[in-house]
């Protein structure tokens, strides 16, 4: 039976998601056996009150979980950019954690460096190298867009490599 993994790249304006289906065990690192189910973003309007934006994330994430029906979720650990942005990301991440708790879904967390290491073998790889690795590993014709969706797929793959 396949295992479905949902990667989430939290953000208040844009929350990236990427879902993959994998066999229950991984025989080797090659992901020809991994299927891309879906990827995209949950986007909230810029000039909307924060509470309304968080409600949008809450509702859309519930719909996404119902659509994907993941067995495991991979989330990016909070990474400090600028203080203002960090607070907004933390608020969105809190909503994500709430939705996952309500759904009783297990999750794993990765730092950006851990994802880079898992996909490229180098923890300081640049964003483009990681995106190229996502496209190659999932046999996609081009790099997934927007970047947030590619990042979410990278998180899902990192989880697959860890558990497989």
């Amino acid at each position: 039976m396949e295992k479905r993994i949902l990667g989430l790249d939290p953000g208040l304006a844009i929350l990236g998601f990427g879902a993959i289906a994998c066999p229950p065990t991984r025989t080797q690192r090659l992901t020809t056996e991994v299927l891309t189910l879906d990827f995209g973003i949950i986007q909230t309007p810029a000039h909307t009150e924060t509470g309304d934006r968080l409600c949008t994330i809450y509702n859309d994430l519930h719909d996404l979980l119902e659509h994907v029906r993941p067995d495991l979720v991979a989330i990016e650990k909070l990474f400090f950019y600028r203080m203002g942005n960090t607070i907004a990301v933390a608020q969105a991440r809190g909503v994500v954690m709430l939705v996952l708790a309500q759904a009783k879904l297990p999750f794993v967390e990765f730092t950006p460096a851990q994802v880079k290491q898992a996909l490229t073998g180098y923890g300081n790889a640049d964003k483009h190298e990681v995106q190229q690795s996502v496209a190659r590993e999932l046999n996609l014709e081009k790099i997934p867009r927007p970047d947030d969706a590619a990042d979410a797929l990278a998180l899902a793959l990192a989880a697959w490599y860890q558990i497989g």
Side-chain angles (χ1 to χ4, degrees):
M1 179 153 180
E2 73 179 13
K3 178 179 271 287
R4 290 173 173 238
I5 303 174
L6 176 64
L8 296 174
D9 182 20
L12 183 62
I14 298 174
L15 184 150
F17 68 86
I20 60 175
C22 321
T25 57
R26 184 168 52 92
T27 55
Q28 53 182 299
R29 188 176 162 126
L30 297 176
T31 55
T32 54
E33 57 205 7
V34 176
L35 175 66
T36 305
L37 297 174
D38 197 2
F39 62 88
I41 59 170
I42 294 173
Q43 190 166 12
T44 64
H47 300 292
T48 306
E49 291 202 24
T50 301
D52 291 336
R53 294 174 92 174
L54 294 172
C55 284
T56 297
I57 292 169
Y58 178 88
N59 292 329
D60 288 0
L61 190 52
H62 272 289
D63 292 344
L64 180 63
L65 292 179
E66 192 172 308
H67 169 69
V68 173
R69 299 196 183 281
D71 299 297
L72 177 68
V73 178
I75 309 166
E76 186 174 75
K77 280 187 180 176
L78 191 57
F79 180 75
F80 295 94
Y81 305 101
R82 302 182 301 290
M83 184 48 92
N85 187 38
T86 300
I87 291 170
V89 172
Q91 290 171 328
R93 195 172 184 282
V95 169
V96 168
M97 303 302 284
L98 172 63
V99 171
L100 296 178
Q102 288 175 330
K104 298 186 181 349
L105 279 170
F107 64 90
V108 291
E109 300 175 277
F110 296 99
T111 64
Q114 288 172 315
V115 173
K116 292 173 182 181
Q117 178 71 37
L119 268 76
T120 69
Y122 178 60
N124 286 327
D126 68 35
K127 192 172 197 73
H128 188 69
E129 288 176 285
V130 174
Q131 292 171 346
Q132 286 178 317
S133 181
V134 167
R136 182 179 57 254
E137 298 282 323
L138 294 174
N139 297 313
L140 302 174
E141 291 182 20
K142 57 186 178 180
I143 292 172
R145 295 286 180 227
D147 290 352
D148 307 89
D151 293 347
L153 284 168
L155 284 155
L157 283 169
W160 169 238
Y161 297 155
Q162 181 179 350
I163 63 165

